[in-house]
Amino acid sequence: MGQKVSDHLLARLREWGVERVFGYPGDGINGLLAAWERAGDQPRFVQARHEEMAAFEAVGYAKFSGRLGVCAATSGPGAIHLLNGLYDAKLDHVPVLAIVGQTARSAMGGAYQQEVDLHTLFKDVASEFVETVTVPEQLPNVLDRAVRTAYARRAPTAVIIHADVQDLDYSPPTHAFKMVPSSLDRSSWQAVPSDESLGRAADLLNAGEKVAMLVGQGAAGARHEVAQTAEVLGAGVAKALLGTDVLSDELPYVTGSIGLLGTRPSYEMMRDCDTLLTIGSNFPYSQFLPEFGAARAVQIEIDPHLAGLRYPYEVNLIGDARATLRRLLPLLNRKDKRGWQSEVIAGVERWKEVMARRAAVSADPVNPEYVARAASPLLPDDTIVTSDSGSVANWYARHITMRGTMRGSLSGTLATMGCGVPYAIGAKFAHPDRPVVALVGDGAMQMNGMAELITIAKYQHQWEDPRLVVAVWNNRDLNQVTWEMRAMSGSPQFLPSQELPDVSYAAFGRLVGLTGIRVEKAEDVEGAWREALAAKGPTVLEFLTDPAVPPIPPHADWDQVEATAAAIIKGDTDRRGVLRQGIKAKIQDFLPGGPKKSDDTHAAEGGK
């Protein structure tokens, strides 16, 4: 039997080193599915419950493996469903390839079933490369360019194949006019800035007395060099959410995350510094950077199209973070005065005390901050942590201590709900020998996380390390939006949009064959985490948490707390609880010493 186009496509993916394709079947890719059967399921087809989840799983796989994530979907609705996951890849700069079916060529233009203009559909999300294969000879160059472009541009690309073309006999491009042969090799390359620009950057950094560093996911391969730079410059280091795993939080000068979900020491360091060095980050919220003109600044960015954004940088070093820092470090003078870095370290220590006190504040029934704080020291040093969007992202950013070889990520720029569980599935396929923990709110679980528990149950026996913990904060509220309404719009909670049905996620997990643990009291939180992390298979760990505990921004002052309180008094359904918890949480910023013991504080007795 001769090789069909679909057979060659899978063979070419294998040659590119693709081991997994996350997808969902449909008749628009029937030719591909038949080829998968003939190929002995190589590369492995991982069946999600929905095409959007397949795309998210490909993103999670790519983020945590450093390799190309691949997803597949049928024509029409299947292709449409991929979009949100692919936009997540686009905005977070992740290499993902979408393979999409299309209506047969003979039916195109005939208002046929599932006929959608896929080029128009994908032209924005896959703007770096989207092409349709219409003849067999076209396949190699289209697929190879899609793979190379995804890697080089760190972006999603799309290859569309008509259903009838999938079943044609494959014939390679010939040595002839209007034929485009192709090749497989993707040799590594490394961009470095000029010596002149490195010299200007070094002069600027050497002149600074209060240096702040901001690192993002682009610095992930330069952990040692980033730490060495901070040591030489006597700097503090803040981390964008996509760069939480760039440096260990156990380093004393690491101030943690930055922004609305960030820490007070990160906010204060940016406010007070006179020099800024940004490495591999396009953190979007410029109000959390130094006041314009208050600090001199240098940026290291591999993509020239993204350089110079967010702040008036004097020097934009275009290059790979590791290679650039290795060339920059010999030009930097070690700062003898360490007063600034000592000030940063003192701020970090104060913040840790504040966060410990906030987590220790009593709540009804469980403080959501305590759930994350209790988990942090129990997580193995090689854990991969994924976080969904929503209030849970606050607790991930502020309470999970990155250390060892831990990895962590979330939907950074798109900030889409529903990524936490599929990211964890992708991470598990990327690293089947490592524990994975997903931190998820009940809104995201109801949106799509519950369905993907079925995917976890289906594939759990293929993972060398059986631990995959889906931790659910069940507060019956779309909590982040509720708090944004209160703090930003001056509006009380609007129950018809915010209130969620109370679902037993642990019971649902047990229903599909997973371990399910439900926690309703603070004293049971730590024991539940220990049980889940020691389980012989995936676990759904459900915590009933208090929606009145506020995700207070790091720069919030008493005036902002009072403004929020005034909005709540207008008619919030939980006004007494919200005011009580908000005041209890904010007052921890001002208390000296350890947690204040009272009848109203459990002081984390259940976590001892």
Side-chain angles (χ1 to χ4, degrees):
M1 181 184 296
Q3 190 182 53
K4 296 183 180 295
V5 167
S6 54
D7 297 314
H8 187 74
L9 185 146
L10 295 183
R12 199 75 169 180
L13 288 177
R14 292 193 296 271
E15 289 181 286
W16 275 108
V18 174
E19 298 175 351
R20 297 281 187 276
V21 177
F22 302 89
Y24 199 81
D27 61 6
I29 54 171
N30 276 352
L32 281 173
L33 299 175
W36 250 299
E37 193 280 329
R38 292 192 294 270
D41 195 20
Q42 295 297 324
R44 192 66 179 268
F45 187 94
V46 179
Q47 182 201 71
R49 315 271 62 76
H50 189 285
E51 291 90 354
E52 181 185 356
M53 299 301 98
F56 276 139
E57 286 159 17
V59 175
Y61 180 90
K63 279 190 171 187
F64 292 111
S65 69
R67 300 192 295 273
L68 180 73
V70 184
C71 55
T74 187
S75 54
I80 294 166
H81 285 163
L82 288 175
L83 286 180
N84 197 46
L86 294 179
Y87 270 109
D88 188 44
K90 179 184 176 74
L91 270 63
D92 278 359
H93 309 292
V94 180
V96 171
L97 167 64
I99 299 171
V100 188
Q102 176 60 297
T103 299
R105 292 172 297 172
S106 58
M108 292 298 293
Y112 204 72
Q113 183 186 37
Q114 295 191 345
E115 182 185 347
V116 172
D117 184 349
L118 294 185
H119 268 263
T120 298
L121 184 73
F122 285 111
K123 72 177 181 180
D124 181 51
V125 71
S127 57
E128 298 295 345
F129 187 83
V130 54
E131 192 54 73
T132 298
V133 176
T134 57
V135 296
E137 295 83 358
Q138 188 187 0
L139 176 64
N141 81 78
V142 168
L143 183 61
D144 293 348
R145 281 198 70 196
V147 172
R148 266 194 292 268
T149 302
Y151 273 123
R153 301 291 176 87
R154 298 170 297 128
T157 58
V159 172
I160 303 163
I161 309 179
H162 291 282
D164 58 318
V165 173
Q166 296 169 32
D167 284 327
L168 294 177
D169 290 337
Y170 174 70
S171 55
T174 59
H175 188 67
F177 187 53
K178 295 185 179 180
M179 289 287 181
V180 184
S182 187
S183 60
L184 279 163
D185 184 57
R186 186 180 71 91
S187 297
S188 61
W189 57 276
Q190 201 171 65
V192 293
S194 67
D195 290 342
E196 182 272 335
S197 60
L198 285 167
R200 287 193 293 119
D203 289 343
L204 190 157
L205 295 170
N206 287 332
E209 296 180 357
K210 299 179 178 181
V211 181
M213 294 170 59
L214 170 61
V215 298
Q217 64 175 348
R223 172 177 285 206
H224 174 72
E225 289 77 11
V226 169
Q228 193 175 358
T229 302
E231 295 284 358
V232 169
L233 294 175
V237 184
K239 301 188 289 187
L241 278 178
L242 289 175
T244 53
D245 55 8
V246 169
L247 278 185
S248 170
D249 287 311
E250 293 181 326
L251 293 172
Y253 51 78
V254 172
T255 61
S257 56
I258 187 174
L260 285 169
L261 277 60
T263 71
R264 185 82 188 185
S266 292
Y267 173 78
E268 292 174 342
M269 179 177 68
M270 292 296 166
R271 181 194 65 195
D272 299 336
C273 70
D274 63 16
T275 308
L276 173 65
L277 172 59
T278 299
I279 306 172
S281 174
N282 263 287
F283 172 73
Y285 301 114
S286 58
Q287 68 268 37
F288 289 97
L289 298 178
E291 288 283 348
F292 284 7
R296 303 183 69 190
V298 173
Q299 181 183 34
I300 298 174
E301 171 58 52
I302 196 169
D303 188 344
H305 294 94
L306 296 175
L309 297 179
R310 320 302 182 203
Y311 199 78
Y313 295 100
E314 292 184 42
V315 185
N316 290 295
L317 299 176
I318 308 303
D320 172 79
R322 186 182 186 194
T324 300
L325 287 174
R326 285 186 168 185
R327 287 162 174 77
L328 180 63
L329 274 163
L331 307 178
L332 298 178
N333 301 325
R334 180 176 175 83
K335 298 189 185 299
D336 296 326
K337 296 180 180 179
R338 293 282 149 162
W340 164 250
Q341 193 176 60
S342 297
E343 183 180 331
V344 170
I345 292 171
V348 172
E349 290 304 312
R350 286 194 302 270
W351 176 256
K352 289 178 179 179
E353 293 173 2
V354 168
M355 295 313 291
R357 292 199 294 262
R358 285 192 192 174
V361 166
S362 66
D364 183 18
V366 177
N367 185 336
E369 298 200 58
Y370 177 54
V371 173
R373 191 163 192 87
S376 187
L378 302 177
L379 298 176
D381 284 358
D382 62 344
T383 302
I384 298 173
V385 183
T386 69
S387 172
D388 220 294
S389 297
S391 59
V392 70
N394 292 273
W395 320 138
Y396 161 74
R398 296 174 184 170
H399 288 288
I400 300 299
T401 298
M402 289 289 165
R403 60 185 182 279
T405 59
M406 286 177 66
R407 298 289 311 281
S409 194
L410 75 178
S411 177
T413 311
L414 187 61
T416 179
M417 284 178 65
C419 67
V421 175
Y423 266 24
I425 294 170
K428 200 66 178 174
F429 277 107
H431 298 284
D433 59 340
R434 294 175 65 169
V436 176
V437 175
L439 312 179
V440 188
D442 51 355
M445 282 301 291
Q446 291 184 21
M447 182 177 284
N448 50 40
M450 294 175 73
E452 287 310 296
L453 294 180
I454 301 171
T455 303
I456 292 172
K458 177 175 180 176
Y459 292 104
Q460 61 178 309
H461 301 298
Q462 297 185 14
W463 301 322
E464 180 182 336
D465 186 319
R467 293 172 293 177
L468 195 167
V469 180
V470 177
V472 185
W473 274 249
N474 180 359
N475 59 20
R476 292 79 63 203
D477 182 49
L478 292 171
N479 201 234
Q480 186 74 10
V481 174
T482 293
W483 279 103
E484 288 170 349
M485 289 173 63
R486 289 167 175 156
M488 297 179 183
S489 304
S491 302
Q493 182 188 41
F494 179 53
L495 281 178
S497 75
Q498 300 306 109
E499 188 176 33
L500 292 172
D502 188 7
V503 176
S504 179
Y505 306 97
F508 184 84
R510 290 192 293 271
L511 182 67
V512 299
L514 310 179
T515 298
I517 304 170
R518 182 176 168 102
V519 178
E520 301 180 6
K521 296 182 293 185
E523 55 264 32
D524 296 331
V525 168
E526 183 178 332
W529 273 114
R530 291 185 184 278
E531 182 180 352
L533 290 167
K536 301 301 182 183
T539 301
V540 179
L541 185 52
E542 176 188 0
F543 299 96
L544 300 189
T545 58
D546 190 343
V549 175
I552 299 174
H555 60 299
D557 55 27
W558 277 112
D559 290 338
Q560 291 167 305
V561 173
E562 289 172 357
T564 302
I568 293 166
I569 290 170
K570 291 179 181 178
D572 200 280
T573 56
D574 192 21
R575 68 182 72 175
R576 293 179 63 185
V578 168
L579 290 172
R580 181 181 65 251
Q581 291 300 145
I583 292 170
K584 284 162 60 178
K586 187 59 186 174
I587 204 171
Q588 307 310 314
D589 291 10
F590 303 96
L591 291 177
K596 183 179 179 181
K597 296 280 284 187
S598 73
D599 292 338
D600 201 31
T601 305
H602 68 68
E605 275 106 349
K608 290 184 179 177

